[in-house]
Amino acid sequence: MQIRLDPARAPRACPIHHRALPRLAVIAALIAAPVFALADGVHVRFDYSSPTTSPFPSDRYTQPDWTQNTFKRVSLPKPDCAVRPSDCADIDVINTLDGFNTQPRISVPFSGDIDLASVSSDTVYLVNLGDTLTGLGYGQRVGINQVAWDAATRTLVFESDQLLQQHSRYVLVVTDGVRDTQGDPIERARHSRRHEESSRDDEQEREGSDYRKALIDGERAIRPGRYHIVATSLFTTQSISADLQKIHRQIAQSQPAPADFMIGNGGTVRAVFPLAGLAGIQFMRETGTAPAFTPSFLPTPALNVVPGSIGRIAFGTFNSPNYENAARFIPATGTLTGVPAVQGNNRLVFELFLPNGPRPAAGWPVAIFGHGFTDSMYGAPWTVASVFASRGIATIAINVVGHGGGALGTLNVIPTAGTPVVVPAGGRGIDQDGNGTIDSTEGVSAVGAQSIISSRDGLRQTVVDLMQLVRQIQVGIDVDGNGSATLDKQRIYYAGQSFGGIYGTIFLGVEGAVQAGVPNVPGGSIPEVARLGAFRVLTAIALATRQPQLLNLPPTPNVPFPYNLNFNENMPLRNLPPLVNNVPGSTAIQQVLENNTWVQQAGNPVAYAPYIRRQPLDGNAPKPVIVQFAKGDGTVPNPTTSALLRAGGLADRALYFRNDLAYAATAGAIPKNPHTFLTNIGIPAAAPFAVAAQTQIAVFFASGGTQVIDPDGAGPIFEMPITPPLPETLSFLP
């Protein structure tokens, strides 16, 4: 009960007798109680002085920005930057975003302990209030998953059960179906204004008032259910595709110069070579800035997996607009009115494998093939080109940003007769850390104060380069210089492995001119891929180099650095019972991982998967696709691929390689980690599976995306489509 005094009936000032003091003290306490203790039972906390003491995400931590699709921009408060400089650097980047994560880690602090068994999608959920530009999605309800309870702070943590729509408003709903540890319903929360008003200026208070009005409006979208609403919070998701859509329009409207094949021996020789006339190709990869080179030979025998299928190899160049600045990120612009600015020009080298036999009248259908992380275009594309060519499909490839060694690398093409021809290798790596070496991925990620961006913009720039490559094919790729198009402008396809499946999913979601695609072993987000799989050490290094550092486990004895670094983030996978988190230091790690995922979401393939088929972007049509992946993938773990399949509604298009069965059938003669099952042609026991998966892609493309075969027919090794449910565990072979 709330007690109020009517000022008109208040007694006039009079002397107070000392015997009346105890009684007056009790009355004063009752008067103060409604202000400072709004609920006696357990309730949701709403102290907006910190994102950790109120539900988060929340539009309370934004400011108006009319240049954005969301009409707002994130505005998180900073900690003491002298003590937590890494967090401050991260927040500087986060505060350039126009909204919150589209697969958010949601936190709800409580005033006391709750019964975790009472937390479900019936008692805690999200309601979509509509796209900020169109209103689409209004009223859609979204459940929760991956529930955890942080015991030290009495905070409930969970993720949305599905990917949320971009630039859309969502209201978080907590009901009295959530119980305290005594079994009583939690009480209705009253938003505390005492603490937040004490340090807010007039403008901030107006923003708070606007937020409360928006929240009241949002509650009208909530349909009454079994339980009563006791707390709500409102947040707006970020824009995902805005930059790439704008860049795509710029590229589609351009008229680039034709690709140039006169690049051999300093521009005096056409770099087109009959495969039958090659003795080999030596790759002088630039691996140091002295400069220093590491020699190797390209896998020309792989081009004869199907003997005689490939007729010629060609190397050419084209120009692609570069949107990354020197620090390896794309500068933020308003997602509504801003225009990404070209920062420079990339002169890119591509390789092209042409089938044997007479060229079709319209040119060869062509598959762009994307290579993986640490690889280059001189790896995986060479292992698939022969099978593709056997079905009349040409293969074309470029290097990913930061890959292929330094720019001074060359190819020494050695014919069986005649003089060798030197061709630029097209390396895109740089010595980013200044140590004199160029590592296999150096330059694909932002570093330093922008390190939270990681590979987000390297991935997006690679997608830009692929869009430009499509445009080059559309204006005409003329290998022979006779004025005829060598490649079919209408039959452009895409396949890519691992990292190539990751940026390939983004590419397929944005580029409408590609007719069909096959991402192989893709997954996201990148922070999830790293923490769950073989690249976990990269996450450990990132945590170790933060200030303050966040590793919460001791190093492993007798293991070399950095592989001895350890941490325990204590985060549950999907569909598991709620987890009680009592691991010291894990909460800070979880927050860093969430912030990384949030910032990198515009480069997350999961966020683009819906645009392939379920909800194509403006001007695009749904694409036929196949998503190939393998049970127990140790590099891109299964839960990250399942996230992509769920987001895109692509489970019916998923090929599942049962590596557990294949490993047993071959008596362990194939790798335990099946990540490279598509390209393992060099391992005798694995080669038949690789060729079978490649054949599925080739048949799919040759049919224009209409024919989908099961690589082993009625056999058990390949499931096409996957037998439900989607895998949510790691399933690594021991």
Side-chain angles (χ1 to χ4, degrees):
M1 181 177 69
Q2 189 165 348
I3 300 175
R4 298 186 184 276
L5 290 180
D6 185 343
R9 298 183 180 181
R12 298 192 178 190
C14 62
I16 299 177
H17 194 277
H18 70 280
R19 293 180 181 176
L21 288 175
R23 186 169 55 214
L24 290 174
V26 171
I27 294 172
L30 289 173
I31 293 171
V35 178
F36 300 110
L38 297 174
D40 294 325
V42 175
H43 58 275
V44 175
R45 296 176 60 198
F46 282 90
D47 177 358
Y48 291 116
S49 63
S50 168
T52 63
T53 53
S54 59
F56 189 85
S58 167
D59 278 355
R60 289 289 274 159
Y61 301 100
T62 64
Q63 65 183 39
D65 186 342
W66 305 109
T67 71
Q68 309 287 357
N69 285 329
T70 59
F71 311 113
K72 54 177 54 72
R73 182 162 43 83
V74 176
S75 182
L76 293 186
K78 288 186 179 181
D80 184 342
C81 293
V83 177
R84 294 164 58 188
S86 294
D87 290 339
C88 285
D90 289 351
I91 290 173
D92 282 337
V93 178
I94 290 171
N95 285 349
T96 67
L97 303 176
D98 73 346
F100 297 94
N101 197 347
T102 52
Q103 188 86 59
R105 174 186 181 270
I106 300 171
S107 58
V108 182
F110 286 83
S111 63
D113 292 325
I114 62 172
D115 177 10
L116 274 183
S118 68
V119 177
S120 70
S121 293
D122 290 327
T123 60
V124 181
Y125 53 89
L126 302 170
V127 176
N128 188 345
L129 302 184
D131 185 297
T132 56
L133 301 177
T134 66
L136 292 175
Y138 183 87
Q140 179 192 26
R141 180 165 160 167
V142 180
I144 64 173
N145 212 312
Q146 294 173 262
V147 178
W149 175 257
D150 189 77
T153 61
R154 292 173 172 171
T155 299
L156 184 68
V157 181
F158 51 88
E159 286 197 6
S160 58
D161 188 49
Q162 64 190 58
L163 181 75
L164 304 183
Q165 299 293 316
Q166 66 171 328
H167 48 70
S168 296
R169 297 191 309 153
Y170 284 85
V171 60
L172 166 67
V173 180
V174 182
T175 73
D176 62 3
V178 178
R179 306 299 170 117
D180 65 19
T181 53
Q182 304 303 312
D184 295 324
I186 62 170
E187 297 190 358
R188 182 170 180 83
R190 300 180 183 179
H191 295 209
S192 170
R193 298 182 62 198
R194 175 182 63 88
H195 193 93
E196 63 172 294
E197 288 182 356
S198 62
S199 62
R200 301 181 69 85
D201 59 28
D202 290 342
E203 181 179 355
Q204 289 175 313
E205 181 52 31
R206 282 195 299 273
E207 293 170 10
S209 177
D210 291 342
Y211 172 77
R212 285 189 290 274
K213 291 176 182 176
L215 193 55
I216 292 170
D217 290 341
E219 289 180 357
R220 295 171 183 160
I222 304 170
R223 292 189 293 270
R226 176 181 175 187
Y227 302 108
H228 298 98
I229 299 170
V230 296
T232 57
S233 183
L234 182 71
F235 66 94
T236 305
T237 57
Q238 69 191 114
S239 297
I240 297 297
S241 62
D243 285 348
L244 287 180
Q245 283 183 276
K246 293 173 184 176
I247 293 171
H248 180 262
R249 286 194 290 269
Q250 294 171 358
I251 290 174
Q253 294 167 4
S254 69
Q255 191 65 29
D260 182 12
F261 291 91
M262 290 293 294
I263 62 172
N265 290 348
T268 62
V269 176
R270 196 168 195 85
V272 181
F273 309 97
L275 178 59
L278 287 182
I281 302 177
Q282 185 183 41
F283 181 17
M284 297 297 292
R285 182 182 185 126
E286 185 190 9
T287 52
T289 58
F293 300 90
T294 300
S296 64
F297 278 88
L298 299 187
T300 49
L303 302 181
N304 282 299
V305 168
V306 180
S309 60
I310 293 177
R312 291 181 294 171
I313 307 172
F315 301 94
T317 62
F318 66 96
N319 289 320
S320 180
N322 181 31
Y323 288 85
E324 287 191 298
N325 61 18
R328 296 292 170 144
F329 69 92
I330 299 175
T333 56
T335 53
L336 179 63
T337 64
V339 179
V342 176
Q343 307 291 314
N345 175 70
N346 293 321
R347 186 67 173 169
L348 300 182
V349 174
F350 65 90
E351 63 186 8
L352 175 61
F353 304 94
L354 294 172
N356 231 331
R359 184 188 66 194
W364 295 104
V366 60
I368 301 170
F369 193 89
H371 71 76
F373 192 68
T374 75
D375 194 11
S376 75
M377 66 178 179
Y378 302 118
W382 290 63
T383 68
V384 301
S386 178
V387 171
F388 288 8
S390 72
R391 300 285 175 160
I393 308 293
T395 302
I396 194 168
I398 63 171
N399 278 321
V400 174
V401 172
H403 286 66
L408 299 181
T410 58
L411 301 177
N412 190 25
V413 182
I414 306 169
T416 53
T419 305
V421 178
V422 177
V423 176
R428 304 183 69 182
I430 60 172
D431 179 19
Q432 197 169 20
D433 58 10
N435 68 351
T437 63
I438 302 172
D439 294 332
S440 61
T441 64
E442 199 168 359
V444 74
S445 295
V447 296
Q450 307 289 333
S451 62
I452 190 172
I453 292 173
S454 187
S455 61
R456 180 196 73 186
D457 292 349
L459 288 163
R460 293 200 294 172
Q461 179 60 47
T462 299
V463 170
V464 171
D465 298 330
L466 293 177
M467 292 191 295
Q468 184 64 47
L469 179 57
V470 167
R471 188 69 188 128
Q472 295 293 152
I473 296 171
Q474 289 176 327
V475 301
I477 296 278
D478 181 3
V479 170
D480 299 309
N482 60 8
S484 299
T486 306
L487 304 179
D488 191 331
K489 304 173 186 180
Q490 304 300 321
R491 299 188 62 189
I492 305 172
Y493 307 105
Y494 179 85
Q497 180 191 51
S498 188
F499 213 44
I502 287 170
Y503 59 77
T505 299
I506 301 172
F507 175 58
L508 289 169
V510 178
E511 177 55 73
V514 173
Q515 300 303 300
V518 183
N520 174 268
V521 293
S525 65
I526 294 294
E528 281 293 278
V529 169
R531 84 172 180 93
L532 292 174
F535 290 109
R536 187 173 173 86
V537 65
L538 298 182
T539 304
I541 293 170
L543 295 172
T545 53
R546 291 184 68 85
Q547 298 179 39
Q549 70 92 11
L550 295 182
L551 295 180
N552 59 348
L553 293 177
T556 302
N558 304 316
V559 174
F561 178 86
Y563 301 98
N564 63 338
L565 300 178
N566 290 312
F567 65 95
N568 181 1
E569 70 276 37
N570 202 29
M571 295 169 62
L573 296 173
R574 281 179 60 85
N575 302 334
L576 295 178
L579 176 152
V580 176
N581 180 23
N582 287 309
V583 176
S586 61
T587 299
I589 295 174
Q590 292 171 17
Q591 189 60 60
V592 167
L593 292 172
E594 165 62 14
N595 288 345
N596 276 264
T597 301
W598 177 9
V599 169
Q600 296 171 40
Q601 198 72 341
N604 180 0
V606 174
Y608 290 84
Y611 309 141
I612 295 176
R613 188 178 68 161
R614 173 179 281 175
Q615 51 186 82
L617 296 172
D618 289 345
N620 290 353
K623 287 186 181 69
V625 293
I626 300 171
V627 179
Q628 298 180 332
F629 74 123
K631 183 174 182 177
D633 191 322
T635 306
V636 179
N638 290 167
T640 67
T641 305
S642 292
L644 185 152
L645 294 169
R646 282 196 316 275
L650 298 171
D652 65 314
R653 308 296 295 183
L655 172 79
Y656 194 39
F657 174 57
R658 291 293 305 271
N659 191 62
D660 55 334
L661 302 181
Y663 188 82
T666 59
I670 64 173
K672 287 186 175 181
N673 181 0
H675 183 64
T676 55
F677 78 91
L678 179 70
T679 56
N680 279 341
I681 60 173
I683 301 174
F689 302 126
V691 171
Q694 292 175 23
T695 300
Q696 184 193 51
I697 300 174
V699 170
F700 184 58
F701 289 166
S703 70
T706 62
Q707 186 178 356
V708 178
I709 64 170
D710 186 320
D712 66 343
I717 303 299
F718 291 97
E719 295 178 11
M720 184 67 222
I722 185 173
T723 302
L726 292 173
E728 301 295 352
T729 57
L730 300 177
S731 302
F732 299 155
L733 282 179

